[in-house]
Amino acid sequence: PDAPLSPSQPHLRRPAAPTMATAVLPAPAPLTSSVGLLAMLEESETQIKVHALQKLERVVPDFWAEISESLPDIEALYEDEAFPQRRLAALVASKVYYYLGEYADALVFALGAETLFNVDEGSEYVDTLLAKAIDEYCKQHQQRYEAATGSQEEGGSSTAAEAPIDRRLIDLVDRMVESSLERRAYQMVMGLALEARRTDLIERIILLCDAKPGELEHDASTIKMLEYCFGLFSSAVVPRSFRATLIALLVTIYRGLPAPEYLGLARCLAQAGDAAGVAAILSQLIESESAEARLAAFQISFDLVDNCTQAFLKLVAERTKAKPPPPAAAEPSAAEGAAEGEAAAAAPP
């Protein structure tokens, strides 16, 4: 048996065995109505209102119909600059409007909730509002692009003017973008960047593929992503008015690579109609003494023949400068050979 503990060793005593009263606690009764919580919103104490909002935010999916009757009170709390949990009130209002099917109002209050709107939640509520936010974000960025470039895409308005974009909408989409890039979900962000005409974001994604390769084949490196983007940007998916800007971006990235990638660069220059640029690459490769460089020149030439018009090929050929081959040693004619033979025979030994 254990030796008895002295009074000077209370910290070594075993805790008393739990009684039935302390070991088993009754489970809280399930909430059957939100009426009591809604009544707390009318209290004068701020802490009580905050407590009510915290509880309501969790039960909106079950009691949104009841809570909708108190939307004016919840919206008033959001509009009250002195209320410390305005963003929480906005989040509750956003969820109620979502379940009411009022997605535009749900997005407005989701923007008011700011960081309390968790873009990584993965719920149907968040995914739906994110999709609506991205659509609005892309639409407004397209208008800004058209106003800046003076272009008008199919279906676009000729009177589209540059308008300020809600800072909260920008912050929301930026949070989603950063979360996706952290997870290396580059394809989704690339789609958003194309829709929003965000060339800065496109460039960032391409360059990230070297530092943080993705799981897909075209995410494995910057070179792979450049090849993927060239095919994507050259297709009908990208509006013609935006295509030239994207190809010019690829040319800039190719030229900034630590190791030259001549084939990809030549393809982009050919797509842009830059015959002089393609000819400069071919001239550089042909004049090189490296066998690998000359093989690259052949590969580029075959690629040009397969994908470019005869008119463009003619322009490239006219501008390509290559060193002329060294003159071959002239072979003596038959008469010169006979004369040299006779002179050799007549020479004294």
Side-chain angles (χ1 to χ4, degrees):
D2 296 338
L5 298 175
S6 66
S8 63
Q9 296 175 307
H11 59 287
L12 298 178
R13 294 183 182 276
R14 297 187 183 91
T19 62
M20 184 63 67
T22 59
V24 180
L25 296 176
L31 193 65
T32 58
S33 173
S34 63
V35 173
L37 296 174
L38 295 172
M40 296 169 66
L41 295 178
E42 301 177 2
E43 297 289 337
S44 58
E45 291 291 334
T46 299
Q47 291 182 349
I48 296 178
K49 294 178 181 179
V50 171
H51 176 75
L53 287 174
Q54 291 171 341
K55 295 290 186 180
L56 288 170
E57 190 270 330
R58 301 189 189 104
V59 300
V60 168
D62 298 320
F63 303 110
W64 56 268
E66 288 181 355
I67 301 172
S68 66
E69 298 179 2
S70 297
L71 271 175
D73 296 332
I74 298 172
E75 292 180 24
L77 292 175
Y78 167 66
E79 294 168 0
D80 184 359
E81 297 286 345
F83 187 64
Q85 290 292 337
R86 295 179 62 240
R87 294 185 302 164
L88 179 58
L91 182 62
V92 174
S94 173
K95 289 188 174 184
V96 174
Y97 276 118
Y98 166 76
Y99 284 104
L100 289 172
E102 302 290 341
Y103 296 148
D105 289 331
L107 177 58
V108 168
F109 283 99
L111 296 179
E114 299 179 10
T115 54
L116 290 185
F117 182 82
N118 184 7
V119 297
D120 296 320
E121 183 178 297
S123 65
E124 186 177 346
Y125 157 72
V126 168
D127 290 345
T128 301
L129 292 193
L130 274 180
K132 188 168 183 62
I134 290 171
D135 287 344
E136 184 63 25
Y137 177 89
C138 292
K139 176 183 175 182
Q140 294 190 32
H141 268 280
Q142 286 180 18
Q143 292 177 351
R144 290 167 66 95
Y145 176 81
E146 292 169 9
T149 61
S151 65
Q152 180 184 356
E153 298 173 6
E154 296 181 4
S157 171
S158 59
T159 59
E162 182 176 353
I165 301 178
D166 191 332
R167 182 71 248 176
R168 300 172 304 170
L169 178 62
I170 295 175
D171 291 341
L172 173 61
V173 175
D174 283 350
R175 283 193 287 122
M176 187 275 296
V177 166
E178 294 303 324
S179 174
S180 299
L181 293 180
E182 186 65 27
R183 292 182 283 107
R184 308 186 187 191
Y186 298 135
Q187 190 164 0
M188 184 190 71
V189 182
M190 180 65 76
L192 184 152
L194 286 173
E195 286 292 326
R197 310 298 184 258
R198 288 279 308 277
T199 55
D200 61 320
L201 185 54
I202 293 171
E203 181 177 7
R204 182 184 174 191
I205 296 168
I206 294 173
L207 297 178
L208 265 178
C209 290
D210 265 350
K212 297 180 178 180
E215 296 181 357
L216 300 178
E217 182 179 355
H218 59 261
D219 298 342
S221 67
T222 291
I223 295 296
K224 291 288 187 182
M225 181 58 85
L226 281 167
E227 294 172 355
Y228 169 77
C229 287
F230 174 76
L232 179 63
F233 298 167
S234 303
S235 67
V237 173
V238 177
R240 185 181 298 274
S241 60
F242 190 41
R243 193 174 303 161
T245 301
L246 293 173
I247 296 299
L249 173 65
L250 294 185
V251 169
T252 301
I253 297 174
Y254 266 117
R255 285 178 169 161
L257 293 176
E261 179 64 27
Y262 293 114
L263 178 60
L265 176 57
R267 284 175 175 171
C268 292
L269 291 172
Q271 179 69 28
D274 187 355
V278 176
I281 292 175
L282 286 175
S283 299
Q284 178 183 347
L285 294 174
I286 293 171
E287 293 175 359
S288 173
E289 297 182 358
S290 166
E292 184 178 351
R294 293 184 179 181
L295 287 174
F298 276 112
Q299 188 177 8
I300 292 172
S301 300
F302 288 135
D303 191 74
L304 292 173
V305 170
D306 289 341
N307 297 289
C308 299
T309 64
Q310 288 297 321
F312 184 79
L313 294 175
K314 183 179 179 181
L315 290 174
V316 172
E318 291 172 351
R319 289 164 171 77
T320 301
K321 299 177 181 179
K323 292 180 181 179
E331 295 183 1
S333 63
E336 292 173 345
E340 290 178 359
E342 292 174 0

